[in-house]
Amino acid sequence: MPIYEYHCQACDREQSLLFLNQREAAKSPRCKYCDSRRMTRLISRCTYHQSEAARLDNFDASTPRDESFYRDARNVGLWAKKRAKEMGADLGSQFEETVEKARSGKVLDDL
Ligand SMILES: [Zn+2]
């Protein structure tokens, strides 16, 4: 399933949208924050799995993040991963699973 990054011109936010197929992706999407259709697709962004390593490298765990940072689902769990990496800890597949759940919102549903 293709994932595209969009910039919303109405609320000036970036977001990644997941589409079921190429045909869905060709339609003009709505901003998930403000429901605007004034969305510009950002070209040449990689898919989620390719970009996570880069995000992890660029992520500074010592810098506090504002709320909007955590609204981006891809950033959920990034802090914990970074810290664990620095400490040389192996979080194991259980942690990966938890992060995936958190990113898809399933953890919140379970509470
Ligand atoms: Zn918007």
Side-chain angles (χ1 to χ4, degrees), residues 1-109:
M1 293 191 284
I3 300 172
Y4 293 114
E5 304 258 333
Y6 282 89
H7 177 255
C8 173
Q9 293 173 37
C11 69
D12 200 33
R13 281 169 145 153
E14 289 186 12
Q15 58 207 273
S16 50
L17 299 176
L18 177 70
F19 297 95
L20 297 176
N21 51 49
Q22 292 291 346
R23 200 158 52 90
E24 283 295 313
K27 296 177 184 173
S28 58
R30 284 181 183 277
C31 174
K32 63 182 175 185
Y33 300 109
C34 72
D35 212 34
S36 168
R37 283 186 183 273
R38 289 170 59 199
M39 302 273 277
T40 311
R41 190 188 292 179
L42 303 175
I43 315 294
S44 84
R45 293 291 186 92
C46 297
T47 59
Y48 160 73
H49 284 294
Q50 287 168 313
S51 64
E52 192 187 58
R55 275 176 172 262
L56 210 52
D57 282 345
N58 295 329
F59 182 67
D60 182 0
S62 63
T63 308
R65 303 289 161 162
D66 63 24
E67 198 193 337
S68 63
F69 178 80
Y70 292 104
R71 283 202 193 125
D72 186 336
R74 292 165 306 176
N75 290 325
V76 174
L78 207 58
W79 185 86
K81 273 193 180 181
K82 180 82 175 186
R83 296 292 300 197
K85 207 176 165 189
E86 283 169 0
M87 293 184 289
D90 181 11
L91 295 168
S93 57
Q94 182 85 47
F95 177 79
E96 292 286 342
E97 213 175 283
T98 304
V99 169
E100 285 308 314
K101 278 185 186 170
R103 283 174 173 165
S104 57
K106 282 177 190 153
V107 163
L108 296 175
D109 290 344

